[in-house]
Amino acid sequence: EADIYQTPRYLVIGTGKKITLECSQTMGHDKMYWYQQDPGMELHLIHYSYGVNSTEKGDLSSESTVSRIRTEHFPLTLESARPSHTSQYLCASSRRAGLGTDTQYFGPGTRLTVL
Amino acid sequence: AQKVTQAQTEISVVEKEDVTLDCVYETRDTTYYLFWYKQPPSGELVFLIRRNSFDEQNEISGRYSWNFQKSTSSFNFTITASQVVDSAVYFCALSEAGSQGNLIFGKGTKLSVKP
C-alpha cells in the first residue's frame, strides 16, 4: 500500500495565475514523477526526479517546473496558467533510483481547470 | 523503440461476463517489466501487477488473471465474472531495465460493466 498525497484534489483558477501542485510521499522513495493526463486518457510523463536536487524533463514538453529539495516532496509549479493547462496531474513515486525497475505508486491526482 | 498498444479503446459488458483486455508491447531489451494499473472514476491509478520478462508464469489473483506470452509480445488481463466495481480505465505499461524505471503506458481501455 502506497502513501502518496496530492493537494489540492481539484483546482479551478483564472488565466495568468501562478499555481503550485503539491505531492508528498512517506515511503522514503528515491524517485518521483509527474504525469499529465489528457481527457482522452493518455498519460504523459512531464517531469521526474532521481532524488534530492535532481530534476529531469519527461517525454512531453511542459511549461511547468519542479523542484526536489526534500526526498518526500516534489511540487510542480505553473508560473502563468493557461486554458491549455487544463488536465489531470498525477504524481508517482518508486523505491529505487538506479538501474532496474521498481513499481510506481500513484497519488490521487489533481484535476486542474484553467478558465 | 518501446511501445505499448491497447487496441481496445472501450469495452462494455454485462455483470458476470468474463472480459479480456489486450496488451501488446514492443521492446528490443531482453530484460523488461510489464505492469497493469486500474484507474477508477475517482482518478487515482491503482497498481495491479508487475511481471518481469523472465517470468512467463500466468498469475491469478481472485477474479483477475494475467496471461504473459513472450512469443506474441502480449500481456493480457482477464476479469472473470465481472462486477460493476470493475468499471474503470485499465492501463498496461512497459519499462525496460535500462530506462531508469520510466514507464511507457498504453492509451488505456475503458471498461464499463453494466448491472
Side-chain angles (χ1 to χ4, degrees), chain A residues 27-88:
Chain A
M27 297 167 286
H29 284 175
D30 295 314
K31 202 165 177 188
M32 296 186 74
Y33 314 76
W34 276 103
Y35 291 85
Q36 184 174 341
Q37 185 174 30
D38 57 33
M41 303 185 302
E42 198 164 354
L43 286 152
H44 302 282
L45 179 67
I46 52 175
H47 298 285
Y48 59 101
S49 166
Y50 291 108
V52 171
N53 294 326
S54 155
T55 60
E56 304 285 343
K57 292 191 181 296
D59 306 318
L60 180 69
S61 176
S62 173
E63 292 165 349
S64 58
T65 59
V66 292
S67 62
R68 190 92 182 271
I69 297 172
R70 302 196 316 265
T71 298
E72 64 270 21
H73 193 215
F74 191 41
L76 180 145
T77 298
L78 276 166
E79 290 292 333
S80 179
R82 295 207 299 270
S84 61
H85 295 139
T86 294
S87 192
Q88 162 140 284

Side-chain angles (χ1 to χ4, degrees), chain B residues 3-55:
Chain B
K3 185 180 177 182
V4 176
T5 302
Q6 295 180 254
Q8 304 146 309
T9 305
E10 291 193 41
I11 301 175
S12 183
V13 299
V14 176
E15 208 169 18
K16 297 184 184 177
E17 282 185 31
D18 299 347
V19 57
T20 295
L21 309 181
D22 297 332
C23 174
V24 174
Y25 62 92
E26 293 177 31
T27 178
R28 291 179 184 170
D29 272 20
T30 55
T31 302
Y32 53 89
Y33 303 83
L34 296 163
F35 301 80
W36 276 95
Y37 286 87
K38 174 183 179 180
Q39 187 176 38
S42 52
E44 77 275 21
L45 258 72
V46 178
F47 165 71
L48 295 178
I49 190 169
R50 169 180 180 245
R51 303 299 277 180
N52 71 56
S53 52
F54 299 110
D55 184 2

